[in-house]
Amino acid sequence: MKYKAIREEELKNKVGKDWFSAFDTTEIVGNIDFCVLPRQDSLFGRPALLWAEAKTGDYDVATMFVQLILTIGKARTFDKTLPPAFLGAFDFKKIAFVPYVSIQDIFYINDFDWTVTSSNHSTKEFALVKERIEAILKSDTHLYDFEKDEKELSFFIKNNIAKATESGKIKIDKNNFIPIYLRWLDHVKPAIEADWESYKQRNILDSDFYLADLFVDDRDTQQIVDDTTIRNNLFVIYENQGYRIAKENIGWTFDASIRIRDKEKYQQFWKRYKRPPLAHFQDYIIERRDLLVPQDIRERKGAFFTPRKWVELSQKYLADVLGEDWQDEYYVWDCAAGTGNLLAGLTNKYNIWASTLDQADVNAMHDRIAHGANLLDSHVFQFDFLNDDFTKLPQGLQDIIHDEEKRKKLVIYINPPYAEADNRKGEGREGVAISEIHKKYSDLMGYTKRELYIQFLTRIHFEIPQVWIANFSKLKNLQAPRFSDFRTFFRAKLRKLFLAPADSFDNVKGQFPIGFHIWETSENEDFHFIEADIYGKDGEFVGLKSIWAYDNLEFINDWVKTFRNTKSESLATIIGVGSDFQNQRLVRFGEPFMKVPAANHNWQTTKDNLIETSIYYTVRRIIEANWLNDRDQFLYPNDSWKADKEFQNDCLTHTLFSNNISRSFGVNHWIPFTETEVNAGEKFESSFMTDFINGKITVNEVSNNPLFEAEAASRSQAGVPRQFSPHAKAVFDAGRELWRYYHSQPNINVNASLYDIREHFQGRNDKGRMNPTSTDARYTELISSLRQKLNLLAAKIAPKVYEHGFLKR
């Protein structure tokens, strides 16, 4: 057997190295075990070559494929990222491949429950897929033994996987033909040599060229599909790698072929899609060509403009939840429409309403309608959602709101403003948060009333019950502790959520996630948890993220209260912050008894709570804050940390070599070495830290109840020399070399801290800030080594942060 009994992760690493070393196998796509991509980016990113299931042992091939297919289908991974050319399955002994196109129709089976667990072999869905896959495997599979078929496997990978570019394509249907057109405008239209203004004057539009491309048969990319009806309904036809005008226009004759300037760019674009559109959507697309009028597609950028890629993706998610024909079966109201950007791409204008605060925006939408936008004049109106009475709504929309059954088919589809008041009472910043809804539901909303989007959701909840809400917003309403008042009354089922970086939205600054939520308000349930899809700035799917509500949980600053009361000598003030990632870099030290605001998050570090303080300081700082974890909360840990001495000592080590303790704080109790170890020229003022490390300090138990302080103090613990992990020892070794080099310098402060040493070598600029680098090459080498060892130690500690319950995964 090629690979003996090893863990699955090791198996995947070895298979990647042994057989796919020419490719990138490090990327994680959803819940798929193993992914192979080309190393080189193409014009539209890197299309996957292989998605595979990995198993330990000697496993049934068909069963592995079934589990892979169920995993893909459940997450609809093929909608979030371009599907691969092949699917694969491997274990210790063998590997098999099937072309993706041979199984992709499975994902479109009607009445299929994709929520079943992929590992449950007893479901009817598992049996159905297995029956299908076994039939496919008999005629269209490639199975290789890692040892016996080594040459054949290498040949297959070289001549099939490596050259695969055509198999995994996105099918074109009624829900995505407009978003594809939006991309076509950016990537293909500029490559066509056409006098667009002249054509437009004679009613030949860019959308006619797009339709010509759309109905090319991929089996013969020189010609349009062989269908007389389609041909007769196209104004432009694609042929001989160019275009010709198919319809006669009075007074204008078209003789010449219209060339494509950049054929490579054209081909790269259409490699992503399977042409022509699915057969049962072809007539619909031809009939609704009016939806591709350019003026309907070009957005006017408003104050809260929703980028095209997120509009497109949100409508894809709505189709996933509400069904393929959702635009015909549901009504849509954007009650914060601006100039209607969010509605671009919707097809049924008779079911769409758009309202906005400013009459100027209403006028802009009416202007767009006059130039072909897919909206009705009577369905676009001025309405102040946070102040006006519903009697001001058009009668048709009122009829829907007041009819319980119709109301259940109403989707409130919005990207409301993210403005908030500037004080804790939800007041201030005149005109931002004050509204009739603010007044009416002030007591219920509490602190959360300061957010305008919360006011939108609150009015919908109370005054338009049982609708669907599809909204973009920050995640405070899901995660922030101070938004628990809102979560108490806003009880609805969150059916779907995707996250995108805030700075990918126009006029939004900051590193935090914006989510697109689909709420079913007819289902009353508390929000506790959801697994959200994550997309990067360019709209690429990058993974999954667990989003938790933290109601009824205690936070890390509650844990602080159990050890902050101590009467021993202060070593420093530790300055804490709120329990989320947002301000974690503000966690720092100050001089003993430093006066700071928010006293409940600041305490004196002493011999009695040094370990707990080091844990707090370390867990708050070693995991980098980013746009995605902005609202994650640090929690009251479970008790497992108490027995984990290695974790405690790792945190102590990390704190000793990453803090901002300065000689200016007073006596430096934080020097982690003896004078002899660093060749100091004089005796240190304090040997506290080395005495603490070597078990020479007696530590008193700390109580959070003043009534029991004396009793707790009586349960003092004799010191025990601390044992450090290899990673921690490496940090000490690197730090020792740095201290020695500093003590070899002239005119130094013998009691210098790490911060003082950095200041000595790096100096300060004319604004008084420490310079980021030093001109001393040896120092630069030593501080770089220390930081490298600290990073390795931090990586070792990080999993324990989750294991001990400081963070949820």
Side-chain angles (χ1 to χ4, degrees), residues 742-760:
Y742 171 77
H743 281 279
S744 71
Q745 305 298 306
N747 304 317
I748 54 108
N749 185 331
V750 70
N751 294 295
S753 66
L754 174 63
Y755 184 87
D756 299 327
I757 293 173
R758 290 176 54 223
E759 184 179 31
H760 174 84

Side-chain angles (χ1 to χ4, degrees), residues 100-149:
Y100 179 84
V101 291
S102 68
I103 60 89
Q104 67 176 345
D105 64 304
I106 294 175
F107 299 122
Y108 299 93
I109 297 174
N110 291 328
D111 301 322
F112 191 96
D113 182 8
W114 287 104
T115 64
V116 298
T117 304
S118 62
S119 58
N120 186 350
H121 298 189
S122 63
T123 65
K124 66 177 183 179
E125 286 77 15
F126 192 97
L128 187 152
V129 176
K130 188 173 184 181
E131 181 180 349
R132 291 289 308 279
I133 199 71
E134 285 176 338
I136 293 170
L137 290 173
K138 289 179 181 178
S139 60
D140 199 2
T141 188
H142 307 274
L143 177 63
Y144 302 96
D145 185 288
F146 283 124
E147 287 186 331
K148 298 177 182 177
D149 304 319

Side-chain angles (χ1 to χ4, degrees), residues 330-332 350-351 353 379 394-411 464 467:
Y330 287 80
Y331 308 100
V332 176
Y350 298 100
N351 283 6
W353 277 264
H379 286 200
Q395 190 59 49
L397 186 52
Q398 287 192 52
D399 292 343
I400 293 170
I401 289 174
H402 296 310
D403 185 313
E404 183 176 349
E405 292 307 311
K406 287 184 178 180
R407 194 168 64 241
K408 291 178 181 178
K409 291 288 187 176
L410 176 60
V411 179
I464 323 177
V467 298

Side-chain angles (χ1 to χ4, degrees), residues 476-681:
K476 291 181 181 180
N477 56 304
L478 301 181
Q479 292 191 288
R482 300 198 69 175
F483 281 60
S484 60
D485 286 346
F486 173 79
R487 289 191 290 273
T488 298
F489 68 79
F490 188 87
R491 301 182 68 248
K493 184 177 182 64
L494 183 56
R495 292 287 299 275
K496 210 75 173 176
L497 174 67
F498 76 72
L499 308 178
D503 58 5
S504 67
F505 287 71
D506 283 11
N507 300 329
V508 180
K509 298 179 180 179
Q511 293 295 306
F512 59 89
I514 289 178
F516 178 69
H517 313 65
I518 300 180
W519 295 96
E520 185 177 5
T521 67
S522 60
E523 295 287 330
N524 294 322
E525 63 177 52
D526 294 328
F527 172 73
H528 296 294
F529 164 83
I530 192 171
E531 195 169 62
D533 296 330
I534 311 166
Y535 292 88
K537 277 188 177 182
D538 297 322
E540 74 280 14
F541 177 72
V542 296
L544 301 172
K545 166 73 173 172
S546 296
I547 302 297
W548 296 87
Y550 298 97
D551 300 328
N552 303 317
L553 294 177
E554 291 186 291
F555 299 96
I556 195 168
N557 290 318
D558 296 311
W559 177 60
V560 166
K561 297 172 186 176
T562 67
F563 60 78
R564 72 181 183 188
N565 294 324
T566 171
K567 293 184 177 180
S568 296
E569 180 184 358
S570 177
L571 307 173
T573 301
I574 175 75
I575 304 168
V577 293
S579 58
D580 61 21
F581 269 91
Q582 204 169 27
N583 297 305
Q584 68 169 14
R585 286 297 173 187
L586 296 178
V587 176
R588 63 199 186 280
F589 289 97
E591 71 247 28
F593 301 105
M594 178 181 181
K595 291 184 178 181
V596 289
N600 62 318
H601 294 333
N602 306 280
W603 65 96
Q604 299 308 306
T605 303
T606 74
K607 65 184 178 66
D608 304 324
N609 61 20
L610 176 59
I611 292 300
E612 289 86 348
T613 297
S614 297
I615 292 172
Y616 180 94
Y617 182 82
T618 299
V619 302
R620 293 304 304 266
R621 293 177 62 89
I622 63 168
I623 299 174
E624 184 179 357
N626 55 47
W627 71 269
L628 194 55
N629 63 21
D630 176 74
R631 286 292 162 189
D632 289 359
Q633 303 289 323
F634 287 91
L635 303 172
Y636 195 120
N638 56 51
D639 286 341
S640 58
W641 71 270
K642 295 180 180 178
D644 193 343
K645 300 301 182 184
E646 184 171 297
F647 169 72
Q648 295 178 23
N649 293 334
D650 282 346
C651 289
L652 174 62
T653 303
H654 195 278
T655 301
L656 290 176
F657 292 94
S658 66
N659 65 66
N660 65 305
I661 296 292
S662 168
R663 180 69 181 82
S664 64
F665 291 179
V667 176
N668 181 11
H669 298 291
W670 296 78
I671 302 174
F673 305 110
T674 63
E675 294 87 347
T676 303
E677 286 182 281
V678 297
N679 299 323

Side-chain angles (χ1 to χ4, degrees), residues 143-376:
L143 177 63
Y144 302 96
D145 185 288
F146 283 124
E147 287 186 331
K148 298 177 182 177
D149 304 319
E150 184 174 350
K151 290 183 179 179
E152 292 85 352
L153 174 56
S154 296
F155 181 86
F156 178 84
I157 293 172
K158 181 179 179 181
N159 290 277
N160 292 275
I161 302 294
K163 297 179 179 180
T165 57
E166 298 293 334
S167 297
K169 295 191 174 186
I170 298 172
K171 294 183 178 182
I172 302 170
D173 60 28
K174 65 185 289 186
N175 288 308
N176 67 11
F177 84 101
I178 294 177
I180 294 170
Y181 169 57
L182 299 176
R183 289 178 177 158
W184 182 93
L185 288 173
D186 290 335
H187 296 287
V188 177
K189 182 181 176 181
I192 300 173
E193 292 184 349
D195 184 350
W196 298 109
E197 283 304 312
S198 296
Y199 290 170
K200 184 177 177 182
Q201 291 173 11
R202 291 160 176 82
N203 293 319
I204 299 296
L205 306 177
D206 53 23
S207 55
D208 293 310
F209 287 79
Y210 168 68
L211 289 173
D213 281 350
L214 211 58
F215 285 94
V216 167
D217 192 331
D218 278 333
R219 294 169 296 181
D220 182 3
T221 56
Q222 301 298 314
Q223 301 294 339
I224 196 167
V225 293
D226 187 18
D227 186 305
T228 303
T229 303
I230 291 175
R231 279 177 171 271
N232 290 340
N233 282 284
L234 293 178
F235 288 82
V236 177
I237 288 178
Y238 180 92
E239 62 182 19
N240 299 323
Q241 299 187 12
Y243 305 90
R244 71 175 176 84
I245 306 302
K247 294 279 186 179
E248 292 184 1
N249 283 259
I250 297 173
W252 200 26
T253 302
F254 300 93
D255 296 324
S257 175
I258 301 161
R259 296 192 311 117
I260 298 171
R261 181 184 302 112
D262 189 339
K263 290 184 173 63
E264 182 180 355
K265 192 170 185 179
Y266 176 93
Q267 292 166 357
Q268 286 292 326
F269 179 85
W270 284 113
K271 278 182 179 180
R272 306 185 75 200
Y273 305 102
K274 175 66 177 173
R275 296 181 292 174
L278 294 169
H280 52 293
F281 294 123
Q282 292 181 11
D283 289 342
Y284 176 88
I285 291 172
I286 290 293
E287 290 170 4
R288 298 313 312 273
R289 67 194 312 147
D290 61 297
L291 301 175
L292 301 176
V293 173
Q295 290 87 346
D296 183 30
I297 304 302
R298 310 288 167 74
E299 308 92 339
R300 295 171 183 244
K301 292 189 176 182
F304 297 97
F305 168 66
T306 310
R308 177 185 295 172
K309 55 181 169 285
W310 306 133
V311 172
E312 175 183 324
L313 188 62
S314 68
Q315 292 173 13
K316 172 67 185 66
Y317 272 67
L318 281 166
D320 286 346
V321 172
L322 300 179
E324 188 176 87
D325 298 319
W326 77 278
Q327 296 188 49
D328 296 322
E329 297 174 358
Y330 287 80
Y331 308 100
V332 176
W333 180 19
D334 183 351
C335 56
T339 56
N341 299 310
L342 193 58
L343 303 174
L346 297 184
T347 58
N348 189 347
K349 62 185 177 182
Y350 298 100
N351 283 6
I352 302 170
W353 277 264
S355 64
T356 185
L357 178 65
D358 297 322
Q359 184 61 43
D361 286 339
V362 175
N363 295 340
M365 282 191 279
H366 283 155
D367 180 60
R368 292 177 60 207
I369 294 170
H371 290 82
N374 192 47
L375 297 168
L376 293 178

Side-chain angles (χ1 to χ4, degrees), residues 66-81:
V66 174
Q67 291 192 209
L68 175 62
I69 290 167
L70 290 175
T71 298
I72 294 169
K74 182 176 183 178
R76 307 292 291 177
T77 313
F78 49 85
D79 282 334
K80 300 163 186 170
T81 187

